[in-house]
Amino acid sequence: MERVRIVLVEPQEPMNLGAVARAMRNFGLSRLYVVNPPPRVGPPWAKEAYWLAVHAEEVLEKAQVAGSLLEALRGAQLVVATTGRPREVYPAPVAPAWEVADRVAAFPGEVALVFGRETFGLTNEELELAHLIGYIPTAPEQPSLNLAQAVVVFAYELFKRQGKGVGLKEGGEPAPVEALEAFFQDLGRYILEIGFTDERRFPYAMRRLRRIFHKAGLTLGEVQMLRGLLHQSRFAQRRKDVDGA
């Protein structure tokens, strides 16, 4: 569980922050990151947060504040974003909470579990940073959960699975999120250059490509190799154009 960080993106209610801290302490989690909290939440954390952080004040006091989601994910090698609303196209594989726990337990590196705003969750752009998207099946009559409730469910599933993970799979260290984002930036430029897509369809194409590569579970070495392939392809095409001229 020490490999797992909980990331809250712009939480809007201080009491939810405190309830999340308590849920984390209940299930052996201690690393809390808060992205762009509004002034009424903190830091310093509002007294309402401490009201609900029963026996979990230390989690609040050690919480890290980040200016962006990408900053909060620095060093993470598996990013799991959570969602409670349907999307036309997801940029990563989708799994229920118990399958997320299985994936995390089997993963040897740094994990970030990301939760969005109480009102509308995570944006499409924020979801694009995820390697896996988790959800909690609910009754259709009342599909939405409170932020702290969602954290409780995922934390409980993780806690049940602790100690049952498998070793590092053959192939090397999983790629951190910053290495993957550099690759996706290269890939995005490349598919526009070769005419694979156009500016209008570009976001849709990149979401589909992200999903494909996230399914592969790329290692750092594999990401470096793919970036090298893109760069060499550009070089070869330029040389061909010069020779042809």
Side-chain angles (χ1 to χ4, degrees), residues 15-27:
M15 286 191 290
N16 280 338
L17 181 66
V20 165
R22 181 174 183 177
M24 291 173 61
R25 189 65 181 267
N26 286 146
F27 298 108

Side-chain angles (χ1 to χ4, degrees), residues 140-152:
E141 297 79 12
Q142 179 63 5
S144 64
L145 279 78
N146 171 270
L147 172 60
Q149 291 174 327
V151 174
V152 164

